[in-house]
Amino acid sequence: MSKTAIISVDGHVKAPRAAYRDYIETKYLQDFDDWLRAEQASGRPDAGNISPDLPPDSQWDFARRQRDLESQGVVAEVLFPNGVPFQARPFDDSGQGTSPELTRVGKMAYNRWLADVCSEAAGRVSGQAAIAFDDVDQAVKDVHWAKQSGLGGIMMPPLNPGGTFFFDPALDPVWAAIQEVGLPISQHGGAGVPAYSPPGMAAILTLAYEHAFFSGRSLWQLIVGGVFDRFPGLKVVFVETEVHWIAPALRNLDMKISLGDEWTAFAAFIERERAFHRLPSEYWASNCYAGISPFHSNQLAIETLGSGYEPAPGEFTIGTGRAMFGVDYPHFETAYPVTMERVAQLLRPSTVSEDDAQRILFDNAAEVYGFDRNALKPHVERVGFELAEVRSASAS
């Protein structure tokens, strides 16, 4: 038997606040110093969303996080932000600043730092560049910069009020650039959620209930806007967006599309020519992936992830070739340090074969995010595990 391991498609990193100064453009250094003083005066810890069981340096000490994750059978991870300069909201992964200009400056400082640390991690990480779409020409340049700098993908910016919707052809140069450089673009959960106030339990629970909806808006906008028709090589990954909504949303869209266009006749004054030519569920099968993170059996009926599962007529399933596993280190909701218990959950249903699990834990992420399997092989042999052993232990 050969060992397997996990490529976690959801990890979060940041630099220590003061360390970002080395990555700020000269003309914005005074703005940065003012921001840093305000952050330090606030008394807020130098941390974003982080588990109380982990120290702040788990966000930037790659030797530490590598030790922690290897203890869980994780050999590589996909990285998203956990804090950028000028960030207006402490726990906002998308790093929106107080102005579009400072938002881009902060994101690019984070990206430069990320490119440096990824270059030192020897193929073990895939950093996702944080890019704003407000200025299309600049976004295209930033996409090419991300590729040239060795980053492994693009983080989908939030859909904020007043911004450009993803079905707007004005964004076509950005989609074209992403397709041209061959990088995936990942929608991370919670991007674009409102800033609920006053803070408290009601705000937290509202956000927890709604973040999947706000995260999912990019899926149907890309489909109905014809983006996948114009850019068929585009790969979009939905990471930590929850997955319970994906099947009902696509099933409902399929139903609406199957009705034809007559039901839109009330809007005869609007140009109603379709920009897409297939069923929405077919675009999922060709262009989209789910990063299930932090992986847990309460996210979905896990037996549906197996190739042995037989869907009912008209039922939509994510598919074994479209699902990936996330640990969400070091967020407070992370699967660390019980990651192997979550792997056992994946293997428990008889419909999920070891081949299915191999795809979800490792193969799909390696393909989508471009990890070198041969380079990872020694690490798999060193810290990996036997799927048959995990299944056997789980059954006993």
Side-chain angles (χ1 to χ4, degrees):
M1 292 185 183
S2 60
K3 289 184 176 181
T4 191
I6 300 167
I7 297 176
S8 170
V9 296
D10 190 21
H12 292 268
V13 294
K14 67 180 288 295
R17 279 191 296 238
Y20 280 129
R21 195 178 197 278
D22 294 338
Y23 297 92
I24 294 286
E25 297 161 59
T26 303
K27 66 179 289 189
Y28 296 104
L29 284 175
Q30 186 59 58
D31 296 291
F32 176 82
D33 291 341
D34 293 343
W35 170 81
L36 182 61
R37 276 193 295 270
E39 286 294 301
Q40 292 169 334
S42 73
R44 286 189 292 267
D46 193 359
N49 173 355
I50 188 169
S51 167
D53 299 324
L54 291 167
D57 68 359
S58 61
Q59 302 169 103
W60 57 76
D61 184 340
F62 276 68
R64 178 200 173 90
R65 68 187 293 135
Q66 198 167 88
R67 288 193 302 271
D68 284 351
L69 290 167
E70 284 186 350
S71 75
Q72 310 291 294
V74 177
V75 293
E77 59 175 337
V78 176
L79 300 177
F80 296 94
N82 209 37
V84 305
F86 308 118
Q87 186 168 312
R89 295 161 59 189
F91 301 109
D92 176 15
D93 291 339
S94 64
Q96 293 301 108
T98 53
S99 72
E101 184 177 16
L102 288 182
T103 293
R104 181 182 181 275
V105 172
K107 287 184 174 184
M108 286 306 298
Y110 165 80
N111 291 338
R112 295 183 189 106
W113 170 81
L114 182 65
D116 274 359
V117 296
C118 287
S119 69
E120 298 171 3
R124 305 287 298 277
V125 294
S126 175
Q128 306 303 291
I131 291 177
F133 285 2
D134 307 81
D135 181 330
V136 170
D137 291 340
Q138 186 61 59
V140 169
K141 294 176 184 176
D142 291 345
V143 167
H144 285 280
W145 176 91
K147 177 67 173 182
Q148 293 160 5
S149 301
L151 295 180
I154 307 298
M155 183 177 178
M156 188 87 80
L159 277 165
N160 291 319
T164 305
F165 292 113
F166 292 159
F167 55 72
D168 192 327
L171 292 179
D172 277 6
V174 182
W175 308 128
I178 296 171
Q179 177 176 261
E180 180 184 344
V181 299
L183 295 177
I185 182 165
S186 297
Q187 172 72 77
H188 193 276
V193 297
Y196 288 114
S197 62
M201 183 60 71
I204 291 170
L205 291 178
T206 301
L207 186 151
Y209 188 77
E210 292 184 351
H211 90 93
F213 166 78
F214 284 101
S215 303
R217 294 170 70 203
S218 54
L219 174 60
W220 41 85
Q221 290 192 22
L222 290 169
I223 291 172
V224 301
V227 175
F228 292 132
D229 285 80
R230 296 192 295 279
F231 307 102
L234 201 62
K235 296 178 181 178
V236 181
V237 190
F238 293 83
V239 177
E240 203 183 349
T241 61
E242 301 186 43
V243 292
H244 62 82
W245 58 273
I246 294 174
L250 289 171
R251 189 165 56 243
N252 186 266
L253 277 170
D254 280 359
M255 179 272 292
K256 280 185 167 56
I257 299 310
S258 297
L259 292 175
D261 295 337
E262 293 306 312
W263 64 279
T264 63
F266 70 92
F269 59 91
I270 297 174
E271 174 58 57
R272 291 185 291 120
E273 183 179 352
R274 285 191 191 182
F276 62 99
H277 303 93
R278 294 186 287 156
L279 287 175
S281 59
E282 293 175 321
Y283 292 103
W284 175 271
S286 60
N287 296 85
C288 303
Y289 302 81
I292 307 171
S293 179
F295 192 95
H296 195 282
S297 58
N298 66 11
Q299 289 245 25
L300 78 171
I302 290 180
E303 61 268 16
T304 65
L305 292 176
S307 56
Y309 179 75
E310 296 184 6
E315 182 182 4
F316 171 84
T317 58
I318 290 173
T320 59
R322 299 284 147 177
M324 296 178 282
F325 189 102
V327 177
D328 200 19
Y329 180 99
H331 274 183
F332 74 87
E333 67 271 32
T334 178
Y336 175 86
V338 294
T339 309
M340 292 309 297
E341 293 179 17
R342 308 293 175 84
V343 175
Q345 291 176 2
L346 172 63
L347 286 161
R348 203 160 287 143
S350 60
T351 54
V352 179
S353 69
E354 291 175 22
D355 285 343
D356 295 332
Q358 171 71 28
R359 283 190 285 272
I360 293 166
L361 295 170
F362 188 93
D363 291 347
N364 294 338
E367 178 182 349
V368 172
Y369 289 102
F371 286 97
D372 185 333
R373 297 166 189 259
N374 290 329
L376 289 177
K377 190 172 181 179
H379 304 295
V380 173
E381 290 301 316
R382 183 169 51 84
V383 305
F385 49 90
E386 303 278 358
L387 288 169
E389 291 181 3
V390 176
R391 168 164 268 165
S392 177
S394 174
S396 61

